[in-house]
Amino acid sequence: GTLSGVSDLCCLLPNGKTLFIEFKKQKGGVVSKNQKEFFKNLDRLGFDYFVAYGFKDGIEKIKNYI
């Protein structure tokens, strides 16, 4: 287990960057208050993150990121 709000996936990329990804249902997925707070902390620390709505959306966003 992790703390409430922590992203579903943390990717350590070959370019030395770290990317946090929160996966939600393709339709109706909602970002919680704790997740929003986690994202604020990531922003403050200079990390990149995004919310993916479904698996395909996540794959496309990762491809576009790297």
Short mmCIF file of all heavy atoms in Angstrom, two decimals:
data_model
loop_
_atom_site.label_atom_id
_atom_site.label_comp_id
_atom_site.label_asym_id
_atom_site.label_seq_id
_atom_site.Cartn_x
_atom_site.Cartn_y
_atom_site.Cartn_z
N GLY A 1 0.79 -1.17 0.00
CA GLY A 1 0.00 0.00 0.00
C GLY A 1 0.85 1.27 0.00
O GLY A 1 2.00 1.28 0.40
N THR A 2 0.23 2.28 -0.49
CA THR A 2 0.84 3.61 -0.50
C THR A 2 -0.09 4.60 0.19
O THR A 2 -1.22 4.26 0.53
CB THR A 2 1.10 4.10 -1.94
OG1 THR A 2 -0.15 4.20 -2.62
CG2 THR A 2 2.03 3.18 -2.69
N LEU A 3 0.38 5.78 0.36
CA LEU A 3 -0.46 6.83 0.93
C LEU A 3 -1.55 7.21 -0.05
O LEU A 3 -1.36 7.17 -1.27
CB LEU A 3 0.40 8.06 1.23
CG LEU A 3 1.50 7.89 2.26
CD1 LEU A 3 2.36 9.14 2.32
CD2 LEU A 3 0.91 7.59 3.62
N SER A 4 -2.69 7.62 0.47
CA SER A 4 -3.79 8.06 -0.36
C SER A 4 -3.35 9.26 -1.19
O SER A 4 -2.77 10.21 -0.67
CB SER A 4 -4.97 8.44 0.52
OG SER A 4 -6.03 8.94 -0.24
N GLY A 5 -3.63 9.22 -2.49
CA GLY A 5 -3.31 10.33 -3.38
C GLY A 5 -2.08 10.10 -4.24
O GLY A 5 -1.90 10.78 -5.25
N VAL A 6 -1.22 9.14 -3.86
CA VAL A 6 -0.01 8.88 -4.64
C VAL A 6 -0.39 8.30 -5.99
O VAL A 6 -1.29 7.46 -6.10
CB VAL A 6 0.94 7.93 -3.87
CG1 VAL A 6 2.13 7.53 -4.72
CG2 VAL A 6 1.39 8.57 -2.57
N SER A 7 0.28 8.73 -7.05
CA SER A 7 -0.02 8.29 -8.41
C SER A 7 0.09 6.78 -8.56
O SER A 7 0.85 6.12 -7.85
CB SER A 7 0.93 8.96 -9.41
OG SER A 7 0.70 10.34 -9.43
N ASP A 8 -0.63 6.26 -9.54
CA ASP A 8 -0.64 4.83 -9.81
C ASP A 8 0.70 4.33 -10.34
O ASP A 8 1.09 3.20 -10.07
CB ASP A 8 -1.72 4.48 -10.83
CG ASP A 8 -3.11 4.72 -10.30
OD1 ASP A 8 -3.37 4.39 -9.13
OD2 ASP A 8 -3.94 5.26 -11.06
N LEU A 9 1.38 5.17 -11.10
CA LEU A 9 2.61 4.73 -11.76
C LEU A 9 3.67 5.82 -11.67
O LEU A 9 3.37 7.01 -11.85
CB LEU A 9 2.31 4.43 -13.24
CG LEU A 9 3.38 3.80 -14.10
CD1 LEU A 9 3.77 2.43 -13.56
CD2 LEU A 9 2.87 3.65 -15.52
N CYS A 10 4.89 5.41 -11.42
CA CYS A 10 6.04 6.31 -11.41
C CYS A 10 7.04 5.74 -12.41
O CYS A 10 7.48 4.60 -12.27
CB CYS A 10 6.65 6.38 -10.01
SG CYS A 10 8.15 7.34 -9.94
N CYS A 11 7.36 6.51 -13.44
CA CYS A 11 8.26 6.05 -14.50
C CYS A 11 9.60 6.76 -14.39
O CYS A 11 9.65 8.00 -14.41
CB CYS A 11 7.66 6.34 -15.87
SG CYS A 11 6.08 5.58 -16.17
N LEU A 12 10.66 5.98 -14.31
CA LEU A 12 12.02 6.52 -14.36
C LEU A 12 12.47 6.36 -15.81
O LEU A 12 12.69 5.25 -16.29
CB LEU A 12 12.93 5.76 -13.41
CG LEU A 12 12.44 5.72 -11.96
CD1 LEU A 12 13.35 4.84 -11.11
CD2 LEU A 12 12.36 7.12 -11.39
N LEU A 13 12.62 7.46 -16.51
CA LEU A 13 12.85 7.43 -17.95
C LEU A 13 14.33 7.49 -18.30
O LEU A 13 15.14 8.00 -17.52
CB LEU A 13 12.10 8.60 -18.60
CG LEU A 13 10.60 8.61 -18.34
CD1 LEU A 13 9.98 9.89 -18.87
CD2 LEU A 13 9.94 7.39 -18.96
N PRO A 14 14.69 6.97 -19.48
CA PRO A 14 16.09 6.95 -19.91
C PRO A 14 16.73 8.34 -19.99
O PRO A 14 17.93 8.46 -19.87
CB PRO A 14 16.05 6.30 -21.29
CG PRO A 14 14.75 5.61 -21.39
CD PRO A 14 13.82 6.31 -20.45
N ASN A 15 15.90 9.38 -20.17
CA ASN A 15 16.44 10.73 -20.27
C ASN A 15 16.72 11.35 -18.90
O ASN A 15 17.04 12.52 -18.80
CB ASN A 15 15.50 11.63 -21.08
CG ASN A 15 14.14 11.80 -20.45
OD1 ASN A 15 13.87 11.32 -19.35
ND2 ASN A 15 13.25 12.47 -21.15
N GLY A 16 16.56 10.55 -17.84
CA GLY A 16 16.84 11.02 -16.49
C GLY A 16 15.66 11.68 -15.80
O GLY A 16 15.77 12.09 -14.65
N LYS A 17 14.54 11.80 -16.48
CA LYS A 17 13.35 12.42 -15.90
C LYS A 17 12.50 11.37 -15.19
O LYS A 17 12.60 10.18 -15.45
CB LYS A 17 12.53 13.12 -16.97
CG LYS A 17 13.19 14.36 -17.53
CD LYS A 17 12.22 15.15 -18.35
CE LYS A 17 12.87 16.47 -18.75
NZ LYS A 17 11.88 17.38 -19.30
N THR A 18 11.67 11.86 -14.30
CA THR A 18 10.71 11.02 -13.59
C THR A 18 9.32 11.52 -13.93
O THR A 18 9.05 12.72 -13.87
CB THR A 18 10.94 11.08 -12.07
OG1 THR A 18 12.29 10.70 -11.80
CG2 THR A 18 10.01 10.15 -11.34
N LEU A 19 8.44 10.60 -14.28
CA LEU A 19 7.08 10.94 -14.68
C LEU A 19 6.09 10.17 -13.81
O LEU A 19 6.23 8.96 -13.65
CB LEU A 19 6.88 10.57 -16.15
CG LEU A 19 5.49 10.74 -16.74
CD1 LEU A 19 5.07 12.20 -16.73
CD2 LEU A 19 5.45 10.19 -18.17
N PHE A 20 5.12 10.88 -13.26
CA PHE A 20 4.08 10.26 -12.44
C PHE A 20 2.79 10.23 -13.24
O PHE A 20 2.42 11.23 -13.86
CB PHE A 20 3.87 11.05 -11.15
CG PHE A 20 5.05 11.00 -10.22
CD1 PHE A 20 6.12 11.86 -10.38
CD2 PHE A 20 5.08 10.06 -9.20
CE1 PHE A 20 7.20 11.82 -9.51
CE2 PHE A 20 6.16 10.01 -8.33
CZ PHE A 20 7.23 10.88 -8.49
N ILE A 21 2.10 9.09 -13.21
CA ILE A 21 0.88 8.93 -13.99
C ILE A 21 -0.24 8.41 -13.09
O ILE A 21 -0.06 7.44 -12.35
CB ILE A 21 1.07 7.94 -15.15
CG1 ILE A 21 2.26 8.37 -16.01
CG2 ILE A 21 -0.20 7.83 -15.99
CD1 ILE A 21 2.71 7.32 -17.00
N GLU A 22 -1.37 9.07 -13.16
CA GLU A 22 -2.58 8.64 -12.46
C GLU A 22 -3.55 8.13 -13.52
O GLU A 22 -3.88 8.86 -14.46
CB GLU A 22 -3.20 9.81 -11.69
CG GLU A 22 -4.48 9.47 -10.99
CD GLU A 22 -4.32 8.41 -9.91
OE1 GLU A 22 -3.26 8.36 -9.25
OE2 GLU A 22 -5.26 7.61 -9.74
N PHE A 23 -3.97 6.88 -13.39
CA PHE A 23 -4.92 6.30 -14.34
C PHE A 23 -6.34 6.39 -13.78
O PHE A 23 -6.58 6.10 -12.61
CB PHE A 23 -4.58 4.83 -14.61
CG PHE A 23 -3.43 4.65 -15.53
CD1 PHE A 23 -2.14 4.52 -15.03
CD2 PHE A 23 -3.60 4.64 -16.90
CE1 PHE A 23 -1.05 4.37 -15.88
CE2 PHE A 23 -2.52 4.49 -17.76
CZ PHE A 23 -1.25 4.35 -17.24
N LYS A 24 -7.25 6.80 -14.64
CA LYS A 24 -8.66 6.88 -14.31
C LYS A 24 -9.46 6.13 -15.36
O LYS A 24 -8.99 5.90 -16.47
CB LYS A 24 -9.13 8.35 -14.27
CG LYS A 24 -8.49 9.16 -13.17
CD LYS A 24 -8.95 8.63 -11.84
CE LYS A 24 -8.33 9.37 -10.69
NZ LYS A 24 -8.57 8.69 -9.43
N LYS A 25 -10.70 5.79 -14.99
CA LYS A 25 -11.59 5.16 -15.97
C LYS A 25 -11.74 6.10 -17.15
O LYS A 25 -11.71 7.33 -17.00
CB LYS A 25 -12.96 4.90 -15.37
CG LYS A 25 -12.98 3.84 -14.30
CD LYS A 25 -14.39 3.50 -13.88
CE LYS A 25 -15.03 4.67 -13.18
NZ LYS A 25 -16.37 4.37 -12.64
N GLN A 26 -11.91 5.50 -18.32
CA GLN A 26 -12.02 6.30 -19.54
C GLN A 26 -13.19 7.28 -19.45
O GLN A 26 -13.08 8.42 -19.90
CB GLN A 26 -12.19 5.38 -20.74
CG GLN A 26 -12.02 6.08 -22.06
CD GLN A 26 -11.97 5.10 -23.21
OE1 GLN A 26 -12.22 3.90 -23.04
NE2 GLN A 26 -11.67 5.57 -24.37
N LYS A 27 -14.27 6.85 -18.84
CA LYS A 27 -15.43 7.73 -18.67
C LYS A 27 -15.78 7.78 -17.20
O LYS A 27 -15.94 6.75 -16.56
CB LYS A 27 -16.62 7.22 -19.48
CG LYS A 27 -16.40 7.29 -20.97
CD LYS A 27 -17.62 6.89 -21.73
CE LYS A 27 -17.35 6.99 -23.22
NZ LYS A 27 -18.52 6.66 -24.02
N GLY A 28 -15.87 8.98 -16.68
CA GLY A 28 -16.32 9.14 -15.31
C GLY A 28 -15.24 9.12 -14.25
O GLY A 28 -15.54 9.25 -13.07
N GLY A 29 -13.97 8.97 -14.63
CA GLY A 29 -12.88 8.97 -13.66
C GLY A 29 -12.69 10.36 -13.07
O GLY A 29 -12.68 11.35 -13.79
N VAL A 30 -12.55 10.43 -11.75
CA VAL A 30 -12.43 11.72 -11.06
C VAL A 30 -11.15 11.74 -10.23
O VAL A 30 -10.84 10.76 -9.54
CB VAL A 30 -13.65 11.96 -10.15
CG1 VAL A 30 -13.52 13.25 -9.38
CG2 VAL A 30 -14.94 11.95 -10.96
N VAL A 31 -10.43 12.84 -10.29
CA VAL A 31 -9.22 13.02 -9.48
C VAL A 31 -9.66 13.44 -8.08
O VAL A 31 -10.42 14.40 -7.92
CB VAL A 31 -8.30 14.09 -10.11
CG1 VAL A 31 -7.09 14.34 -9.24
CG2 VAL A 31 -7.87 13.66 -11.51
N SER A 32 -9.18 12.72 -7.06
CA SER A 32 -9.57 12.99 -5.68
C SER A 32 -8.85 14.21 -5.11
O SER A 32 -7.86 14.69 -5.68
CB SER A 32 -9.28 11.77 -4.80
OG SER A 32 -7.88 11.66 -4.58
N LYS A 33 -9.33 14.69 -3.99
CA LYS A 33 -8.71 15.81 -3.28
C LYS A 33 -7.26 15.47 -2.93
O LYS A 33 -6.36 16.29 -3.11
CB LYS A 33 -9.50 16.13 -2.03
CG LYS A 33 -8.94 17.25 -1.20
CD LYS A 33 -9.77 17.49 0.06
CE LYS A 33 -9.11 18.53 0.93
NZ LYS A 33 -9.85 18.71 2.19
N ASN A 34 -7.01 14.25 -2.44
CA ASN A 34 -5.66 13.84 -2.07
C ASN A 34 -4.75 13.77 -3.30
O ASN A 34 -3.56 14.10 -3.21
CB ASN A 34 -5.67 12.50 -1.35
CG ASN A 34 -6.22 12.59 0.05
OD1 ASN A 34 -6.30 13.68 0.62
ND2 ASN A 34 -6.63 11.48 0.61
N GLN A 35 -5.27 13.34 -4.44
CA GLN A 35 -4.48 13.30 -5.66
C GLN A 35 -4.13 14.70 -6.13
O GLN A 35 -3.01 14.95 -6.56
CB GLN A 35 -5.23 12.52 -6.74
CG GLN A 35 -5.30 11.05 -6.42
CD GLN A 35 -6.30 10.29 -7.25
OE1 GLN A 35 -7.26 10.87 -7.78
NE2 GLN A 35 -6.09 8.99 -7.38
N LYS A 36 -5.07 15.63 -6.02
CA LYS A 36 -4.78 17.02 -6.39
C LYS A 36 -3.68 17.59 -5.51
O LYS A 36 -2.80 18.31 -5.99
CB LYS A 36 -6.05 17.87 -6.28
CG LYS A 36 -7.07 17.56 -7.36
CD LYS A 36 -8.35 18.36 -7.15
CE LYS A 36 -9.40 17.96 -8.17
NZ LYS A 36 -10.67 18.66 -7.95
N GLU A 37 -3.71 17.26 -4.24
CA GLU A 37 -2.68 17.73 -3.31
C GLU A 37 -1.32 17.12 -3.69
O GLU A 37 -0.29 17.80 -3.65
CB GLU A 37 -3.05 17.35 -1.87
CG GLU A 37 -2.15 17.95 -0.83
CD GLU A 37 -2.22 19.46 -0.76
OE1 GLU A 37 -3.28 20.06 -1.06
OE2 GLU A 37 -1.19 20.07 -0.41
N PHE A 38 -1.32 15.85 -4.04
CA PHE A 38 -0.09 15.18 -4.47
C PHE A 38 0.47 15.87 -5.71
O PHE A 38 1.67 16.12 -5.81
CB PHE A 38 -0.36 13.70 -4.74
CG PHE A 38 0.86 12.91 -5.11
CD1 PHE A 38 1.83 12.62 -4.17
CD2 PHE A 38 1.03 12.45 -6.41
CE1 PHE A 38 2.97 11.89 -4.52
CE2 PHE A 38 2.15 11.72 -6.76
CZ PHE A 38 3.12 11.43 -5.82
N PHE A 39 -0.40 16.21 -6.67
CA PHE A 39 0.03 16.90 -7.88
C PHE A 39 0.63 18.27 -7.55
O PHE A 39 1.62 18.68 -8.16
CB PHE A 39 -1.13 17.08 -8.87
CG PHE A 39 -1.65 15.79 -9.45
CD1 PHE A 39 -2.94 15.72 -9.92
CD2 PHE A 39 -0.88 14.64 -9.51
CE1 PHE A 39 -3.45 14.54 -10.46
CE2 PHE A 39 -1.36 13.46 -10.04
CZ PHE A 39 -2.65 13.42 -10.52
N LYS A 40 0.05 18.99 -6.59
CA LYS A 40 0.61 20.28 -6.18
C LYS A 40 2.03 20.10 -5.65
O LYS A 40 2.92 20.90 -5.94
CB LYS A 40 -0.26 20.92 -5.10
CG LYS A 40 -1.54 21.52 -5.60
CD LYS A 40 -2.30 22.15 -4.45
CE LYS A 40 -3.69 22.56 -4.87
NZ LYS A 40 -4.48 23.09 -3.73
N ASN A 41 2.23 19.04 -4.86
CA ASN A 41 3.58 18.77 -4.34
C ASN A 41 4.55 18.42 -5.46
O ASN A 41 5.70 18.84 -5.44
CB ASN A 41 3.53 17.66 -3.29
CG ASN A 41 2.91 18.11 -1.99
OD1 ASN A 41 3.05 19.26 -1.60
ND2 ASN A 41 2.20 17.22 -1.33
N LEU A 42 4.09 17.65 -6.45
CA LEU A 42 4.94 17.32 -7.60
C LEU A 42 5.34 18.59 -8.34
O LEU A 42 6.50 18.75 -8.72
CB LEU A 42 4.23 16.34 -8.54
CG LEU A 42 4.02 14.92 -8.03
CD1 LEU A 42 3.23 14.11 -9.05
CD2 LEU A 42 5.33 14.24 -7.71
N ASP A 43 4.37 19.47 -8.55
CA ASP A 43 4.65 20.76 -9.20
C ASP A 43 5.72 21.53 -8.44
O ASP A 43 6.68 22.03 -9.02
CB ASP A 43 3.39 21.62 -9.25
CG ASP A 43 2.67 21.54 -10.58
OD1 ASP A 43 3.26 21.09 -11.57
OD2 ASP A 43 1.50 21.95 -10.61
N ARG A 44 5.53 21.63 -7.14
CA ARG A 44 6.45 22.38 -6.29
C ARG A 44 7.86 21.82 -6.37
O ARG A 44 8.84 22.56 -6.35
CB ARG A 44 5.94 22.34 -4.85
CG ARG A 44 6.71 23.19 -3.87
CD ARG A 44 6.07 23.21 -2.49
NE ARG A 44 5.78 21.90 -1.95
CZ ARG A 44 6.67 21.11 -1.33
NH1 ARG A 44 7.90 21.51 -1.19
NH2 ARG A 44 6.31 19.94 -0.86
N LEU A 45 7.97 20.49 -6.51
CA LEU A 45 9.28 19.82 -6.56
C LEU A 45 9.84 19.72 -7.98
O LEU A 45 10.97 19.25 -8.18
CB LEU A 45 9.17 18.42 -5.94
CG LEU A 45 8.85 18.41 -4.45
CD1 LEU A 45 8.48 17.00 -3.99
CD2 LEU A 45 10.02 18.96 -3.65
N GLY A 46 9.06 20.13 -8.98
CA GLY A 46 9.55 20.14 -10.36
C GLY A 46 9.39 18.84 -11.12
O GLY A 46 10.03 18.65 -12.17
N PHE A 47 8.52 17.95 -10.63
CA PHE A 47 8.29 16.68 -11.33
C PHE A 47 7.15 16.82 -12.33
O PHE A 47 6.25 17.64 -12.16
CB PHE A 47 7.95 15.56 -10.34
CG PHE A 47 9.12 15.10 -9.52
CD1 PHE A 47 9.22 15.44 -8.19
CD2 PHE A 47 10.11 14.31 -10.08
CE1 PHE A 47 10.30 15.02 -7.42
CE2 PHE A 47 11.19 13.88 -9.33
CZ PHE A 47 11.28 14.25 -8.00
N ASP A 48 7.19 15.99 -13.36
CA ASP A 48 6.13 15.95 -14.36
C ASP A 48 5.12 14.87 -14.00
O ASP A 48 5.47 13.83 -13.46
CB ASP A 48 6.72 15.66 -15.74
CG ASP A 48 7.63 16.77 -16.22
OD1 ASP A 48 7.33 17.94 -15.95
OD2 ASP A 48 8.64 16.47 -16.88
N TYR A 49 3.86 15.12 -14.35
CA TYR A 49 2.79 14.16 -14.08
C TYR A 49 1.65 14.41 -15.05
O TYR A 49 1.56 15.46 -15.67
CB TYR A 49 2.27 14.31 -12.64
CG TYR A 49 1.64 15.65 -12.38
CD1 TYR A 49 0.28 15.84 -12.62
CD2 TYR A 49 2.39 16.73 -11.95
CE1 TYR A 49 -0.30 17.08 -12.42
CE2 TYR A 49 1.82 17.97 -11.76
CZ TYR A 49 0.47 18.13 -11.98
OH TYR A 49 -0.10 19.36 -11.80
N PHE A 50 0.80 13.42 -15.18
CA PHE A 50 -0.45 13.61 -15.91
C PHE A 50 -1.47 12.58 -15.49
O PHE A 50 -1.14 11.58 -14.86
CB PHE A 50 -0.26 13.63 -17.43
CG PHE A 50 0.26 12.35 -18.03
CD1 PHE A 50 -0.56 11.27 -18.24
CD2 PHE A 50 1.59 12.25 -18.40
CE1 PHE A 50 -0.08 10.10 -18.81
CE2 PHE A 50 2.08 11.10 -18.97
CZ PHE A 50 1.23 10.01 -19.17
N VAL A 51 -2.71 12.87 -15.82
CA VAL A 51 -3.81 11.95 -15.59
C VAL A 51 -4.15 11.32 -16.93
O VAL A 51 -4.32 12.03 -17.93
CB VAL A 51 -5.05 12.67 -15.00
CG1 VAL A 51 -6.21 11.70 -14.84
CG2 VAL A 51 -4.69 13.33 -13.69
N ALA A 52 -4.23 10.00 -16.96
CA ALA A 52 -4.59 9.28 -18.17
C ALA A 52 -5.99 8.70 -17.99
O ALA A 52 -6.28 8.08 -16.95
CB ALA A 52 -3.60 8.16 -18.45
N TYR A 53 -6.82 8.89 -18.96
CA TYR A 53 -8.18 8.37 -18.91
C TYR A 53 -8.26 7.13 -19.80
O TYR A 53 -8.51 7.22 -20.99
CB TYR A 53 -9.19 9.44 -19.32
CG TYR A 53 -9.23 10.55 -18.29
CD1 TYR A 53 -8.41 11.67 -18.42
CD2 TYR A 53 -10.05 10.44 -17.18
CE1 TYR A 53 -8.43 12.67 -17.44
CE2 TYR A 53 -10.07 11.43 -16.20
CZ TYR A 53 -9.26 12.54 -16.35
OH TYR A 53 -9.26 13.52 -15.38
N GLY A 54 -7.94 5.99 -19.20
CA GLY A 54 -7.89 4.72 -19.90
C GLY A 54 -6.46 4.38 -20.30
O GLY A 54 -5.57 5.23 -20.35
N PHE A 55 -6.25 3.08 -20.56
CA PHE A 55 -4.92 2.57 -20.88
C PHE A 55 -4.35 3.18 -22.16
O PHE A 55 -3.21 3.62 -22.19
CB PHE A 55 -4.98 1.04 -20.99
CG PHE A 55 -3.66 0.41 -21.31
CD1 PHE A 55 -2.68 0.32 -20.33
CD2 PHE A 55 -3.39 -0.07 -22.58
CE1 PHE A 55 -1.45 -0.26 -20.61
CE2 PHE A 55 -2.17 -0.64 -22.87
CZ PHE A 55 -1.20 -0.74 -21.89
N LYS A 56 -5.17 3.24 -23.21
CA LYS A 56 -4.70 3.78 -24.50
C LYS A 56 -4.28 5.23 -24.37
O LYS A 56 -3.27 5.65 -24.93
CB LYS A 56 -5.77 3.62 -25.58
CG LYS A 56 -5.95 2.20 -26.04
CD LYS A 56 -6.98 2.12 -27.15
CE LYS A 56 -7.18 0.68 -27.57
NZ LYS A 56 -8.17 0.58 -28.66
N ASP A 57 -5.03 6.01 -23.62
CA ASP A 57 -4.68 7.41 -23.38
C ASP A 57 -3.33 7.50 -22.67
O ASP A 57 -2.49 8.32 -23.03
CB ASP A 57 -5.77 8.10 -22.55
CG ASP A 57 -5.50 9.57 -22.31
OD1 ASP A 57 -5.09 10.27 -23.27
OD2 ASP A 57 -5.71 10.02 -21.17
N GLY A 58 -3.13 6.64 -21.69
CA GLY A 58 -1.86 6.62 -20.96
C GLY A 58 -0.68 6.31 -21.87
O GLY A 58 0.35 6.99 -21.82
N ILE A 59 -0.83 5.30 -22.71
CA ILE A 59 0.25 4.92 -23.65
C ILE A 59 0.55 6.07 -24.60
O ILE A 59 1.72 6.39 -24.84
CB ILE A 59 -0.12 3.64 -24.44
CG1 ILE A 59 -0.25 2.45 -23.49
CG2 ILE A 59 0.87 3.35 -25.55
CD1 ILE A 59 1.02 2.09 -22.75
N GLU A 60 -0.48 6.70 -25.14
CA GLU A 60 -0.26 7.83 -26.07
C GLU A 60 0.45 8.98 -25.37
O GLU A 60 1.35 9.60 -25.94
CB GLU A 60 -1.60 8.29 -26.66
CG GLU A 60 -2.14 7.37 -27.71
CD GLU A 60 -1.18 7.15 -28.87
OE1 GLU A 60 -0.63 8.14 -29.40
OE2 GLU A 60 -0.96 5.98 -29.22
N LYS A 61 0.06 9.28 -24.14
CA LYS A 61 0.68 10.40 -23.42
C LYS A 61 2.14 10.09 -23.10
O LYS A 61 2.99 10.97 -23.18
CB LYS A 61 -0.12 10.71 -22.16
CG LYS A 61 -1.41 11.44 -22.46
CD LYS A 61 -2.19 11.78 -21.21
CE LYS A 61 -3.41 12.61 -21.58
NZ LYS A 61 -4.27 12.88 -20.43
N ILE A 62 2.43 8.83 -22.76
CA ILE A 62 3.82 8.45 -22.51
C ILE A 62 4.63 8.58 -23.79
O ILE A 62 5.73 9.15 -23.78
CB ILE A 62 3.92 7.02 -21.94
CG1 ILE A 62 3.32 6.97 -20.53
CG2 ILE A 62 5.36 6.53 -21.93
CD1 ILE A 62 3.13 5.57 -19.99
N LYS A 63 4.11 8.10 -24.90
CA LYS A 63 4.82 8.21 -26.18
C LYS A 63 5.10 9.67 -26.53
O LYS A 63 6.18 10.02 -27.00
CB LYS A 63 3.99 7.57 -27.30
CG LYS A 63 4.01 6.07 -27.30
CD LYS A 63 3.17 5.54 -28.45
CE LYS A 63 3.11 4.05 -28.46
NZ LYS A 63 2.24 3.54 -29.58
N ASN A 64 4.11 10.53 -26.32
CA ASN A 64 4.28 11.96 -26.63
C ASN A 64 5.26 12.62 -25.68
O ASN A 64 5.91 13.59 -26.04
CB ASN A 64 2.93 12.68 -26.58
CG ASN A 64 2.01 12.29 -27.72
OD1 ASN A 64 2.48 11.89 -28.78
ND2 ASN A 64 0.73 12.38 -27.48
N TYR A 65 5.35 12.12 -24.46
CA TYR A 65 6.24 12.71 -23.47
C TYR A 65 7.70 12.41 -23.78
O TYR A 65 8.54 13.27 -23.63
CB TYR A 65 5.86 12.20 -22.08
CG TYR A 65 6.68 12.81 -20.98
CD1 TYR A 65 6.34 14.06 -20.47
CD2 TYR A 65 7.79 12.18 -20.46
CE1 TYR A 65 7.09 14.64 -19.47
CE2 TYR A 65 8.54 12.75 -19.45
CZ TYR A 65 8.19 13.98 -18.96
OH TYR A 65 8.95 14.55 -17.98
N ILE A 66 7.96 11.17 -24.19
CA ILE A 66 9.36 10.80 -24.48
C ILE A 66 9.60 10.93 -25.95
O ILE A 66 10.32 11.63 -26.45
CB ILE A 66 9.73 9.39 -24.02
CG1 ILE A 66 8.72 8.34 -24.47
CG2 ILE A 66 9.87 9.33 -22.55
CD1 ILE A 66 9.05 6.94 -24.07
#
